[in-house]
Amino acid sequence: MLFALFFVRLVFGSSYLKMQLEGKLLGRPDLFSLFNQYFKVRFYDNVIAHFLLVSTGAAFKLLVDYARTQKRLAEMTKQKAEAELIFL
């Protein structure tokens, strides 16, 4: 639960920072402000998209790690079985 809260806070915080930097670099900080009359538009365009991209990347990384772990476990099981057969 703590990880989920930290993850959401980190993603939303980095989205807000990204929007502030874009506004300053383009010379229109009011255009990229999260808290103006276009709150819904800014939230959907920036924050939700960033959250989905980061979540997808994290899910892909977890799947790759899971596949590597399963492959390693299968190799270890095979080595143990071979070692037991040699011992007999």
Side-chain angles (χ1 to χ4, degrees):
M1 183 68 181
L2 183 62
F3 174 75
L5 291 174
F6 180 72
F7 179 75
V8 169
R9 184 173 178 200
L10 187 65
V11 170
F12 286 162
S14 63
S15 295
Y16 179 73
L17 179 65
K18 178 187 70 121
M19 288 180 0
Q20 293 299 317
L21 288 173
E22 285 176 352
K24 288 181 182 179
L25 288 174
L26 295 175
R28 301 261 332 257
D30 57 325
L31 183 64
F32 287 94
S33 176
L34 186 62
F35 303 107
N36 61 10
Q37 69 266 22
Y38 303 112
F39 175 75
K40 276 184 160 180
V41 174
R42 295 292 157 234
F43 190 77
Y44 289 127
D45 287 348
N46 292 298
V47 178
I48 291 181
H50 191 228
F51 182 75
L52 291 175
L53 285 171
V54 171
S55 298
T56 303
F60 183 74
K61 174 75 170 126
L62 286 172
L63 285 173
V64 169
D65 287 345
Y66 178 76
R68 284 185 192 151
T69 302
Q70 291 301 317
K71 186 177 179 181
R72 230 181 344 209
L73 285 173
E75 289 175 3
M76 286 175 53
T77 304
K78 184 178 176 182
Q79 287 175 354
K80 285 183 181 181
E82 288 176 356
E84 188 175 323
L85 287 174
I86 290 173
F87 182 71
L88 291 175

